[in-house]
Amino acid sequence: AVMVKESVRVYARVKPLGRRQQAGVYSVDEDEKSLSNLEIIVPHDLADGFINNKRESYKFKFQKVFDQEAKQDVVFDSIAKPVAECVLAGYNGTIFAYGQTGSGKTFTITGGAERYSDRGIVPRTLSYIFDQLQKDSSKVYTTHVSYLEIYNECGYDLLDPRHKASRLEDLPKVTIMEDPDQNIHLKNLSLQQATNEEEALNLLFLGDTNRVIAETPMNQASTRSHCIFTIHISSKEPGSAIIRRSKLHLVDLAGSERVAKTGVGGHLLTEAKYINLSLHYLEQVIIALAEKNRSHVPYRNSMMTSVLRDSLGGNCMTTMIATLSMDKRNIDESISTCRFAQRVALIKNDAVLNEEIDPRLMVIQLKKEIQELKDELALVTGEQRTSALSQEELLRLDELIEIFLGDSNPNSNLNVGADMRKIKYCFSRMKQLINHSKISDKKLLLQHTSEEKDTNREGGEEELKKLQGLLQQRNNEINILVNMLKKEKKKVQDAVFQLNAASLGSTVLEQSLSVNLEESQTPSNCFSLKEAKDFNSSVHQLPFLSRQ
């Protein structure tokens, strides 16, 4: 399979400041090597009177930094479109947003509800994928979507078709299964088929209404869970046995921040602990992957890292968006998000083209092969059937012959199996058809040439008379020769008889022969003495000469 080895691509997006927020100091600098530098300045006055020896300036490298005024469509074109293209080509892809609560992860991934132009990466990606699928008629595509929520280390299916849940506990629980090849399977997570963009968006909205949100000091509707929206695409060329399967994970992680900062208690505190724990495990996996000679990567520690196992250091093209809130209060969090992003950028993934053979087509091909082998065996072992072919079989054979003769392709075959009865029938039928076509050709020819015959008839009669004359002449010549031969035969027999009686020398015979020949010479036939001798030797064959 084709393999693409590349690092995880890391982007940063700065959230626009709210009205009451004080701006932090940062600068974005476009590098000449298609990278962006983000510099964050931490002034000393934030230290509230303590002696502060902390660094003032922090620099981070990103693939690109989207500043506060960046629009959703630009973000999509730069970040998600290249990944979507790879997914359509048969590779796996993942896009995930990471950042503190209220830094714009959900806005970037899902989008805002106020304006159509605020749509996020998920709806835009769906739109783009279905648009491309409609344009490409060379393959047959099927698309499914799934929506998984991980809340307090439990998985839930947000697209459960049976009921709209009023409480999270009502949703089906998703559990993780691992096969012997260490592939992760999610039990109880439904795959919903989406044949067009509208169906896919409806499923997305259904899932979004079931998500867990809560009010935190940072955000009125903070997403308190990790959500993974996955688009599964399988494609196949007509007639081919190869299927390409790829999936695109769009991940919205829950907010990362220190519990002390959120000022929460009760179940919100429990949530924060779980969120932080799963993000901590995510970070551990990333650190392990970035280290050159780590043999064990702790994927199994949390559900999140198990599900994203392929996306991190596996068979996937992965992109990360670090979302940053740049007001003074959140500068620390933004720096820790950037540090995390720098570690993620060190991970190398091996994306493989996901091709497999369609089992159904494989079965059909194997059945066909078995039948051919059986037929060959029957021919070789001479096990021939003797019963006459049925009327249906004969009609079917006629049909096959007709198709075969009508096919202009020089490589087409007439395949009737290894049944000698059928083969013989096909040959005799072909012969009939050829003879029939010859007769009809002759009729056509006769029609075409009847006029020419009229004009040629007189000349033809003259030709006939000439030929008849010539034939008569040849007949006469043959008659004369035959009579001669008879006479010669008689004379020779007499001479031989005399020879035997008188026991004379051969010279006498020669003389008598030459005399006889001279007597019987005709103007048109002269034999020399030598020819006479040859003739003498062939006299015994004369009974075989017939008049013809």
Side-chain angles (χ1 to χ4, degrees), residues 241-508:
I242 293 172
I243 296 182
R244 282 187 182 175
R245 294 187 199 281
S246 53
K247 54 187 183 216
L248 172 57
H249 294 304
L250 300 163
V251 187
D252 181 12
L253 295 175
S256 66
E257 69 272 293
R258 290 162 209 171
V259 175
K261 184 113 162 233
T262 52
V264 292
H267 76 266
L268 278 179
L269 179 64
T270 315
E271 279 176 4
K273 282 180 186 168
Y274 272 116
I275 290 168
N276 284 354
L277 190 63
S278 65
L279 290 172
H280 164 69
Y281 286 134
L282 180 63
E283 196 161 355
Q284 275 194 335
V285 165
I286 283 159
I287 290 168
L289 285 166
E291 282 178 23
K292 286 279 187 297
N293 35 22
R294 266 289 277 276
S295 57
H296 174 66
V297 179
Y299 288 113
R300 289 197 193 82
N301 285 352
S302 76
M303 185 160 190
M304 183 70 203
T305 49
S306 296
V307 175
L308 290 184
R309 182 184 205 140
D310 261 353
S311 310
L312 301 167
N315 169 21
C316 193
M317 295 196 166
T318 305
T319 294
M320 173 187 159
I321 308 159
T323 54
L324 310 169
S325 181
M326 281 298 189
D327 61 311
K328 283 185 177 174
R329 245 187 104 226
N330 294 322
I331 285 283
D332 283 1
E333 286 291 347
S334 297
I335 289 169
S336 74
T337 299
C338 289
R339 281 197 179 124
F340 179 78
Q342 303 302 290
R343 280 198 290 271
V344 172
L346 298 173
I347 299 174
K348 291 222 174 341
N349 281 0
D350 299 321
V352 180
L353 192 63
N354 303 301
E355 288 186 329
E356 57 185 71
I357 289 171
D358 183 359
R360 285 171 307 174
L361 275 175
M362 201 64 189
V363 167
I364 293 166
Q365 270 179 327
L366 289 170
K367 276 183 177 171
K368 192 176 158 194
E369 211 171 296
I370 289 167
Q371 191 52 51
E372 282 172 6
L373 290 169
K374 276 183 179 172
D375 291 346
E376 272 181 44
L377 198 64
L379 265 181
V380 172
T381 55
E383 271 183 39
Q384 288 308 327
R385 292 161 281 250
T386 49
S387 59
L389 293 167
S390 71
Q391 197 60 39
E392 275 178 25
E393 285 176 308
L394 293 176
L395 284 170
R396 176 73 187 130
L397 289 173
D398 288 351
E399 201 180 302
L400 285 171
I401 292 166
E402 205 174 307
I403 293 165
F404 173 64
L405 293 175
D407 193 348
S408 55
N409 180 5
N411 299 325
S412 66
N413 284 325
L414 175 57
N415 191 1
V416 293
D419 188 341
M420 278 319 284
R421 301 169 304 166
K422 289 182 180 177
I423 293 169
K424 282 174 184 168
Y425 174 77
C426 284
F427 271 110
S428 67
R429 184 85 184 99
M430 298 267 268
K431 189 177 177 183
Q432 276 176 17
L433 289 169
I434 289 165
N435 288 341
H436 181 68
S437 69
K438 273 185 184 169
I439 290 163
S440 56
D441 284 353
K442 273 185 188 168
K443 279 181 186 169
L444 273 172
L445 230 138
L446 284 168
Q447 283 170 7
H448 279 298
T449 54
S450 60
E451 293 157 9
E452 290 170 26
K453 276 189 177 174
D454 291 340
T455 56
N456 291 344
R457 189 166 286 163
E458 293 162 17
E461 281 171 3
E462 280 173 30
E463 187 75 12
L464 191 68
K465 279 176 186 170
K466 264 187 198 171
L467 288 171
Q468 280 174 342
L470 200 62
L471 188 68
Q472 192 58 50
Q473 202 178 328
R474 292 277 178 273
N475 265 343
N476 294 343
E477 283 175 11
I478 289 167
N479 283 333
I480 291 165
L481 277 170
V482 168
N483 290 333
M484 268 176 58
L485 286 173
K486 282 179 182 171
K487 280 179 190 171
E488 291 303 330
K489 182 183 174 186
K490 196 169 185 307
K491 283 178 185 173
V492 170
Q493 279 173 342
D494 292 350
V496 170
F497 179 71
Q498 286 166 14
L499 255 167
N500 289 343
S503 305
L504 291 168
S506 65
T507 48
V508 181

Side-chain angles (χ1 to χ4, degrees), residues 231-247:
I231 306 160
H232 304 256
I233 301 174
S234 65
S235 66
K236 185 166 117 9
E237 281 180 29
S240 162
I242 293 172
I243 296 182
R244 282 187 182 175
R245 294 187 199 281
S246 53
K247 54 187 183 216

Side-chain angles (χ1 to χ4, degrees), residues 107-138:
F107 182 78
T108 302
I109 294 290
T110 314
E114 282 85 51
R115 291 189 300 276
Y116 183 68
S117 59
D118 283 348
R119 285 170 307 146
I121 283 173
V122 179
R124 284 172 192 272
T125 303
L126 286 171
S127 186
Y128 175 76
I129 283 176
F130 282 106
D131 195 36
Q132 295 302 109
L133 297 190
Q134 270 179 336
K135 284 182 193 165
D136 183 8
S137 54
S138 66

